[in-house]
Amino acid sequence: MPFRPNSLVLRQFFDLKFSSKMADLFERLIKHYGPIGQHRDRAHGYFAFPKLEGEIGSKMKFRGKEMIVWSLNNYLGLANHPEIRKTDADSAAKFGLATPMGARMMSGNTNYHEQLEKELADFVMKEDTVLLNYGYQGMVSIIDVLCGRHDVVVYDAECHACIIDGLRLHPGHRYVFKHNDIDDFEKQLQRATALVEKQKTGGILVVSEGVFGMAGDQGRLKEIAALKSKYQFRFLVDDAHGFGTLGKTGAGAGEEQGVQDQIDLYFSTFAKSMASIGAFVSGEKTIIDYIRYNIRSQIFAKSLPMPFVLGNLKRLELLRTKPELKEKLWENALKLQNGLKEKGFDIGNTNSVVTPVYMKGDVPEATAMVMDLRENYGIFCSIVVYPVIPKGIIIYRLIPTAVHTDSDIQNTLKAFEETKKKLDAGEYKVEAIPHMAEA
């Protein structure tokens, strides 16, 4: 008779064999805080999670000192516009933040939500629009609702993290093309087409951005759209930084490049030009209706609160009726960008108001330079370093707004000129990130 160990023996054997291999989930996490989190003990409250105080504008306080701020996505200066502040306050006083209560499909719909959707659709020249609670969440959900396991996504290598996270949820194939490289885009489109034909099912979604928020260059929307006559695909554009800043009316990068009608789904957020909360996607009524009835992040989430809806209606009104805001934004952006170029700075290929300044250096040098800019020059701007970009490169990402003054720009140009000399001379060479965390 073969030997059959009893259950106690088996349990003891497996406990002995596998218990030593079981790792505590939290223990693993706190051993490896990640490339940015590893610096938290020195950086928190200064380089990471800083606290700007006071009225939103071109000057705010940081750790008690007044700073010229270049880190706010308040492109048109609407955050503190008196008409906006009044509408926000009046709406909150009338409705509070709970109204409407519930998801829109169940109990959270209002005439105002539908009015905002209609006005947005008209503004971006599309048949219909559906509101989204957040831009990041919205984009993740749009990719999820559009694509099944047989569908293929072709996307730009520099697409925003919200697009990448949406693609991580996609069960089908995806092909990435080199940033704004139309030859490589067509190559990846050919691969996608061949796969769909081999499967005998599925479709192709192409994703690009209207303006790439890190480098400031516009997506090659016109060239991508031109290939629709040769290949079959649908085109989704995330125009977070183009909406309100580009195009004759401010309708975005598609209008700027003359291909708004070739964009099948136009997405943007209220968090940039409109200085608010929420997002939207616009397109043909039939597909927007499909999204409206199937997008899980909205069906199972509370409706956008009324103060945001009414506030965004007012913001959209100002986008339409006050073109001088966009004109002032561009006046400031070009003054800043031309000044940087005249002083020998590399601002890359930006053709939007986003203004990157490229320098050579590593993370410790970047933090030392940021400290000098803040502590001795009163300039607050954001830095981008590894792992977001390759090692040895520093990007200072400046966001001009309509409320910056000529004095703000000139003082900033002078500060950058002086600190660049120090960087080149090696004065910012340090062994580690300076310890500037909050006590």
Side-chain angles (χ1 to χ4, degrees):
M1 177 178 291
F3 171 72
R4 290 187 177 89
N6 63 35
S7 59
L8 177 61
V9 173
L10 280 173
R11 189 164 61 250
Q12 289 173 338
F13 170 77
F14 280 104
D15 285 347
L16 179 64
K17 184 174 178 62
F18 295 108
S19 62
S20 61
K21 293 185 179 180
M22 180 68 73
D24 182 288
L25 174 65
F26 286 1
E27 182 181 0
R28 175 176 60 81
L29 297 180
I30 62 177
K31 280 183 179 179
H32 306 284
Y33 271 90
I36 298 174
Q38 64 178 315
H39 302 301
R40 70 199 180 284
D41 290 340
R42 295 175 178 272
H44 191 82
Y46 195 92
F47 303 113
F49 297 91
K51 299 169 186 173
L52 290 168
E53 299 176 307
E55 293 289 322
I56 296 173
S58 69
K59 291 186 177 70
M60 298 179 72
K61 285 198 172 179
F62 175 64
R63 290 194 170 187
K65 296 180 181 179
E66 186 175 79
M67 302 274 165
I68 301 171
V69 180
W70 297 98
S71 294
L72 304 180
N73 290 320
N74 181 30
Y75 287 127
L76 300 178
L78 295 182
N80 263 338
H81 192 285
E83 292 183 47
I84 295 295
R85 290 291 295 267
K86 184 177 188 306
T87 298
D88 288 349
D90 290 349
S91 302
K94 182 176 181 180
F95 292 102
L97 284 172
T99 305
M101 198 66 223
R104 280 188 75 192
M105 184 178 283
M106 304 305 293
S107 58
N109 196 25
T110 73
N111 289 334
Y112 292 111
H113 286 72
E114 292 179 353
Q115 179 186 346
L116 179 55
E117 288 175 333
K118 183 181 185 308
E119 292 191 17
L120 283 164
D122 291 343
F123 185 67
V124 299
M125 296 167 277
K126 296 296 180 186
E127 286 183 0
D128 200 3
T129 288
V130 62
L131 287 177
L132 309 165
N133 286 1
Y134 292 99
Y136 198 110
Q137 174 205 54
M139 179 53 73
V140 170
S141 302
I142 289 167
I143 294 173
D144 175 64
V145 77
L146 292 176
C147 299
R149 65 189 181 93
H150 296 297
D151 298 316
V152 184
V153 182
V154 180
Y155 65 101
D156 190 290
E158 295 297 319
C159 277
H160 189 267
C162 64
I163 296 170
I164 303 304
D165 281 355
L167 292 171
R168 289 168 70 183
L169 296 176
H170 173 48
H173 284 78
R174 52 189 184 267
Y175 296 114
V176 58
F177 62 93
K178 297 173 186 175
H179 176 53
N180 269 348
D181 186 326
I182 296 302
D183 290 337
D184 192 47
F185 166 65
E186 186 168 9
K187 179 181 176 182
Q188 304 310 320
L189 195 54
Q190 289 169 349
R191 293 178 69 193
T193 301
L195 178 60
V196 169
E197 289 175 348
K198 180 181 179 181
Q199 295 176 162
K200 295 183 173 56
T201 185
I204 299 172
L205 177 69
V206 171
V207 187
S208 183
E209 295 192 36
V211 173
F212 290 88
M214 195 64 65
D217 52 339
Q218 293 179 43
R220 303 280 294 277
L221 310 185
K222 187 173 183 177
E223 291 88 344
I224 290 173
L227 287 170
K228 282 182 135 192
S229 62
K230 189 175 179 182
Y231 302 92
Q232 185 173 349
F233 63 88
R234 292 295 185 173
F235 192 15
L236 166 64
V237 174
D238 176 349
D239 202 23
H241 294 272
F243 176 73
T245 70
L246 290 173
K248 183 179 179 181
T249 69
E255 182 185 38
E256 178 78 13
Q257 297 182 33
V259 291
Q260 187 74 350
D261 61 331
Q262 294 295 304
I263 295 171
D264 296 296
L265 287 171
Y266 179 88
F267 167 91
S268 191
T269 173
F270 302 138
K272 313 298 185 196
S273 292
M274 298 203 355
S276 182
I277 290 291
F280 68 95
V281 61
S282 303
E284 294 179 8
K285 179 170 178 50
T286 52
I287 189 63
I288 294 300
D289 256 353
Y290 177 84
I291 293 173
R292 181 178 285 119
Y293 275 85
N294 291 276
I295 187 164
R296 293 172 63 83
S297 68
Q298 304 306 305
I299 293 172
F300 299 103
K302 184 182 181 299
S303 179
L304 198 64
M306 194 72 83
F308 293 121
V309 174
L310 294 176
N312 288 326
L313 276 166
K314 186 64 178 180
R315 286 161 169 82
L316 184 58
E317 176 191 322
L318 295 190
L319 258 66
R320 291 195 306 258
T321 61
K322 292 189 178 295
E324 62 269 21
L325 297 175
K326 182 164 72 75
E327 291 167 6
K328 182 61 178 175
L329 165 65
W330 272 99
E331 178 186 324
N332 286 343
L334 292 175
K335 194 176 294 183
L336 176 67
Q337 292 176 1
N338 291 334
L340 287 165
K341 287 190 285 188
E342 287 169 6
K343 293 183 180 298
F345 287 96
D346 178 8
I347 64 170
N349 299 314
T350 181
N351 52 358
S352 71
V353 297
V354 177
T355 306
V357 183
Y358 296 86
M359 298 184 192
K360 293 181 179 179
D362 290 313
V363 176
E365 287 176 277
T367 53
M369 186 175 177
V370 164
M371 278 186 61
D372 195 15
L373 280 167
R374 293 179 183 178
E375 302 300 320
N376 299 313
Y377 295 91
I379 305 295
F380 189 101
C381 60
S382 299
I383 56 168
V384 185
V385 293
Y386 176 83
V388 180
I389 56 176
K391 289 182 178 180
I393 299 174
I394 303 169
I395 298 180
Y396 289 85
R397 183 167 169 266
L398 307 182
I399 302 296
T401 71
V403 295
H404 278 101
T405 66
D406 187 66
S407 175
D408 295 334
I409 296 168
Q410 297 308 318
N411 288 338
T412 300
L413 291 172
K414 181 180 178 182
F416 265 79
E417 185 175 32
E418 292 182 10
T419 53
K420 175 68 161 53
K421 291 177 182 176
K422 297 179 186 180
L423 177 69
D424 293 342
E427 294 184 30
Y428 296 131
K429 287 284 186 183
V430 291
E431 294 299 319
I433 291 178
H435 197 303
M436 295 299 291
E438 292 175 325

